[in-house]
Amino acid sequence: MTSLFDPFTVRGVTARNRLWTSPMCQYSVLDHSGVPQQWHLVHLGSIAAGGSGIVFTEATAVSPEGRISPRDTGIWTDEQAGAWRPIVDFVASQGAVPGIQLAHAGRKASSWPAWGFEDRTGSVPVAEGGWPTVAPSAEAFGDLDVPGALDLAGIEKIVDDFRAGARRAVDAGFRILELHAAHGYLLHQFLSPLANHREDEYGGSLENRARLLLRIVAAVREEVGDGVPLFVRFSGSDWTPGGWDEQQTATVAGWAQEAGADFFDISSGGIQTGIRIPLGPGYQVPFAEHVRASAEVDVSAVGLITTPQQAADIVESGAADAVMLAREILRDPHFPLRAAHELGVDIDYWPAQYLRAQWRR
């Protein structure tokens, strides 16, 4: 037996196993409305049927200007929340816990979708559906446009947008919320000294750089009450000297837990272009292990986790409480069912339609 298939409970919400689906951008809102489409129902629904314990949406913007690209999903209108409802209901009907990642892209917003526009560079022009971007400091990411530095009124709007997005998400039926503070997007931009050069109460010291995230954690917790688990995704490292690192992550994770967060999803990178990351199987697991041990918080690991035994070893070793799967889930949406089969674990949530595949005859 393996603890990979043990349930995991946060604030009364129980995931049936420790194999969870990471947020993954789909760039499939072709009308630029932020409203999830049939693609999202089929994509997330098939993953839920495949046995994941938690199924997270892609990074879902809390405001129009918070989208990574014009084709991203949103949660800033009631129409969007209503469109999420049948997707959430289907995911839950398959036994998975539906989760949403609330996000704001900051200076990485208004960029071209990852597919279909390979010949386009820089920011999407306003005439083609783009918009001016914002950030902690007026410094561009790569060849994207220079963002406007947020003033205090703009920061207040960011907090309010996350609060309102959380409310709509819960009303749409999502059982878990995650704040995206990784991969070089807005909250990570505030956290990292490589992107935050402010001289006010939101810049400089670690306490100041973490202030916006902690305010959002507290605001979301106040808005949704005690019954909704709140995750935070961090980049455990900027992979460059003088940047954000695993110890700052652990410190801020501890503060975030005190402010109302419950669980920490540890990834890495994304704050600057031109940084070489030494990729390899499980290359980000040490960051999750450090945060778990140093801050004494619950964490998940993600990044080139591709086999059932590798995933089981991560959980059983105590490096992480769960694993997030991304590209491997795209290759095989039924990875958890396959993992149970390969590891010899008898689970009771194979879809009836697939029972003939449960054991080889």
Side-chain angles (χ1 to χ4, degrees):
M1 295 297 293
T2 170
S3 56
L4 189 63
F5 287 90
D6 289 348
F8 189 88
T9 300
V10 184
R11 291 186 184 260
V13 176
T14 299
R16 58 191 171 186
N17 57 42
R18 314 296 183 95
L19 286 166
W20 304 344
T21 296
S22 180
M24 291 177 283
C25 291
Q26 298 295 294
Y27 306 110
S28 295
V29 183
L30 304 186
D31 62 2
H32 297 189
S33 67
V35 175
Q37 310 289 301
Q38 285 186 326
W39 172 264
H40 300 92
L41 171 62
V42 175
H43 165 65
L44 297 172
S46 65
I47 292 170
S52 286
I54 302 172
V55 176
F56 277 103
T57 69
E58 63 195 80
T60 299
V62 297
S63 65
E65 64 273 16
R67 291 170 294 168
I68 301 167
S69 85
R71 290 189 171 185
D72 288 5
T73 58
I75 193 70
W76 70 83
T77 71
D78 292 342
E79 181 187 9
Q80 293 160 352
W84 278 118
R85 169 60 79 171
I87 299 170
V88 168
D89 288 347
F90 185 81
V91 167
S93 78
Q94 301 306 299
V97 178
I100 185 170
Q101 187 184 66
L102 303 175
H104 192 300
R107 68 182 187 175
K108 295 177 81 171
S110 194
S111 60
W112 293 101
W115 52 267
F117 299 90
E118 288 79 6
D119 61 332
R120 305 299 295 268
T121 60
S123 296
V124 179
V126 172
E128 297 183 60
W131 56 90
T133 58
V134 296
S137 304
E139 299 175 19
F141 177 85
D143 62 359
L144 297 179
D145 291 348
V146 176
L150 282 161
D151 60 16
L152 294 182
I155 288 174
E156 292 302 319
K157 181 181 183 299
I158 298 293
V159 176
D160 290 343
D161 287 343
F162 272 95
R163 180 194 288 270
R167 169 48 54 199
R168 286 195 177 91
V170 170
D171 289 347
F174 285 103
R175 302 287 309 284
I176 293 177
L177 309 178
E178 178 171 273
L179 303 178
H180 197 357
H183 299 165
Y185 298 120
L186 183 67
L187 299 184
H188 184 190
Q189 291 161 28
F190 271 88
L191 292 170
S192 174
L194 299 181
N196 183 346
H197 297 112
R198 300 177 71 96
E199 297 180 352
D200 62 2
E201 64 266 40
Y202 290 94
S205 69
L206 181 59
E207 291 85 352
N208 284 355
R209 287 183 279 118
R211 190 179 305 277
L212 176 58
L213 172 62
L214 299 180
R215 287 194 60 199
I216 291 170
V217 168
V220 169
R221 174 56 63 211
E222 180 182 57
E223 182 65 34
V224 303
D226 294 335
V228 180
L230 180 58
F231 289 27
V232 178
R233 170 164 270 196
F234 283 116
S235 280
S237 173
D238 285 340
W239 294 100
T240 191
W244 183 255
D245 59 28
E246 64 267 39
Q247 188 50 51
Q248 292 176 82
T249 305
T251 299
V252 176
W255 295 343
Q257 185 178 56
E258 293 172 0
D262 302 297
F263 193 97
F264 302 93
D265 171 10
I266 309 301
S267 185
S268 75
I271 199 66
Q272 285 186 343
T273 60
I275 295 174
R276 296 181 64 85
I277 297 176
L279 300 178
Y283 69 104
Q284 295 173 151
V285 173
F287 300 134
E289 187 172 17
H290 178 90
V291 173
R292 187 175 190 263
S294 180
E296 298 182 344
V297 295
D298 295 330
V299 305
S300 59
V302 67
L304 291 181
I305 300 170
T306 59
T307 71
Q309 191 61 59
Q310 179 192 14
D313 290 345
I314 290 167
V315 172
E316 289 168 11
S317 70
D321 299 279
V323 297
M324 291 279 192
L325 300 170
R327 288 176 176 84
E328 191 61 27
I329 279 285
L330 296 182
R331 287 186 282 265
D332 179 6
H334 301 148
F335 180 92
L337 299 182
R338 176 164 62 85
H341 178 86
E342 291 187 10
L343 296 172
V345 178
D346 187 12
I347 57 175
D348 63 2
Y349 44 85
W350 276 76
Q353 298 90 335
Y354 296 167
L355 281 175
R356 285 172 292 180
Q358 185 173 14
W359 301 109
R360 291 192 178 95
R361 293 290 192 263

